[in-house]
Amino acid sequence: MHRIKASAQAQTAIQQTRAEQTLRHRPRRAMRAGVLALGLVGLVAGCAGQDAGQPVAVSGKLDGVYQASGNEPFWHMTLAQNMLTLETPDKPRIAGPVLHAHAEGRDRLYEAQAMRVEVTAKACSDSTSGQNYADTVRIVTQGRTLTGCGGASLAPTSLNDTRWVVTALDGHRLADGNKAPSDTDRTTDQPGLKAGAPDMAPTLDINASGKVSGSDGCNRYVGGLEFGKNGHVKAAPQGGLSTLMACPGRRDALARQFSSLTRAATHWRMDGTALVLETEDKKTVRLRQVF
């Protein structure tokens, strides 16, 4: 009997000791859990604060330069390395760090001390050049609002109402392809005008219906091609030459090569801002747009 009572007393003592140890360790565990919870909250808050302090990337890379511009009045804006810069011809240059940036749906908002920039992922066409860009940009600064386009340039779906000058024929660059077409290039049928340079670049004018005219580098032409949307081009009746000038060797060869390649073109594509006409056997005519 005494042994049973002693055993029971011993078990009771062990249970009391375990209970006391549990009570002593419980505050420490609770404290550790609390510290861990506070640490997670602080980490999340720190990340949120860091995101809020950094500009929303619009150029696709952190070290890139985002550019936008507009007309009437002309302006040019850049966003690079967390700095906004705005230049206009009638006012001093404005520059300052981005103080706040965030996204709302398709809009990216950037705020500096002297301006607020809104970038919307909506296609925009430059009112002067007709070039299409990925973004519509709105800037509010010094009591006025400026609107324009920014971001990556977009390939056009139609070439109607555009003008081009040839820069290369089947990979061979033309020296005069980097010059704007002059009256001599474009109106060789007018009397009194001197002949152009030996490497005078051919031109391509596409009207509102996709039909063409221009200079082949020697004489003016009408017809021969008709442009459609999304890369389509087809042969069309040649309207003949509006001039019948006899051109010296190099210019005659240039005109013949241009006419041969354009008549054989099966499709068009954009390479950056350059227009490329391509034949079935992969020969090309490369052109740049003029305004």
Side-chain angles (χ1 to χ4, degrees):
M1 178 70 70
H2 289 292
R3 290 179 181 176
I4 294 175
K5 286 183 180 180
S7 176
Q9 289 174 351
Q11 289 179 359
T12 302
I14 292 172
Q15 290 174 354
Q16 287 177 348
T17 302
R18 287 177 178 174
E20 289 173 356
Q21 289 176 345
T22 300
L23 289 173
R24 284 198 301 268
H25 285 84
R26 185 173 294 170
R28 294 181 183 177
R29 291 174 183 171
M31 184 178 296
R32 288 173 185 169
V35 170
L36 180 60
L38 288 173
L40 291 174
V41 171
L43 179 62
V44 172
C47 291
Q50 185 178 10
D51 290 344
Q54 296 294 327
V56 183
V58 290
S59 60
K61 51 185 180 179
L62 294 177
D63 59 347
V65 177
Y66 182 87
Q67 300 189 63
S69 61
N71 307 295
E72 299 179 2
F74 172 79
W75 59 268
H76 182 257
M77 183 274 291
T78 59
L79 170 59
Q81 297 181 347
N82 206 33
M83 288 287 294
L84 279 171
T85 303
L86 176 67
E87 294 179 289
T88 59
D90 59 334
K91 291 185 179 294
R93 178 174 176 267
I94 302 173
V98 175
L99 302 177
H100 180 69
H102 67 282
E104 295 179 1
R106 296 193 303 169
D107 297 338
R108 296 179 177 90
L109 308 178
Y110 301 83
E111 294 182 7
Q113 186 172 1
M115 73 180 100
R116 173 186 170 91
V117 178
E118 300 175 7
V119 178
T120 302
K122 179 181 178 182
C124 175
S125 178
D126 186 275
S127 59
T128 298
S129 67
Q131 175 66 52
N132 294 321
Y133 294 89
D135 302 325
T136 299
V137 179
R138 180 174 178 265
I139 300 176
V140 179
T141 179
Q142 297 179 338
R144 63 177 178 171
T145 300
L146 306 172
T147 57
C149 306
S153 58
L154 302 178
T157 58
S158 171
L159 297 176
N160 292 3
D161 283 325
T162 57
R163 300 167 54 196
W164 305 84
V165 60
V166 176
T167 59
L169 289 172
D170 197 22
H172 300 288
R173 296 179 62 184
L174 303 185
D176 280 2
N178 290 322
K179 298 178 182 177
S182 66
D183 289 339
T184 302
D185 296 322
R186 305 177 64 77
T187 55
T188 51
D189 55 339
Q190 290 189 8
L193 291 176
K194 296 180 180 180
D199 261 357
M200 184 171 63
T203 62
L204 180 71
D205 294 355
I206 307 172
N207 68 15
S209 61
K211 297 178 180 178
V212 303
S213 63
S215 167
D216 63 8
C218 176
N219 289 287
R220 286 194 61 79
Y221 65 89
V222 178
L225 283 179
E226 186 171 338
F227 285 84
K229 294 183 176 181
N230 300 316
H232 295 291
V233 62
K234 64 180 181 180
Q238 178 80 42
L241 298 175
S242 61
T243 58
L244 296 173
M245 294 178 60
C247 301
R250 169 61 186 161
R251 290 182 62 197
D252 182 65
L254 182 70
R256 290 177 182 274
Q257 185 182 20
F258 170 76
S259 298
S260 174
L261 289 173
T262 52
R263 283 198 299 267
T266 57
H267 68 279
W268 63 268
R269 59 181 171 84
M270 297 301 298
D271 182 9
T273 58
L275 169 63
V276 179
L277 308 183
E278 196 166 79
T279 67
E280 191 171 356
D281 56 356
K282 303 302 181 184
K283 294 182 178 181
T284 59
V285 178
R286 190 177 182 89
L287 308 95
R288 67 178 179 83
Q289 191 170 6
V290 292
F291 305 99

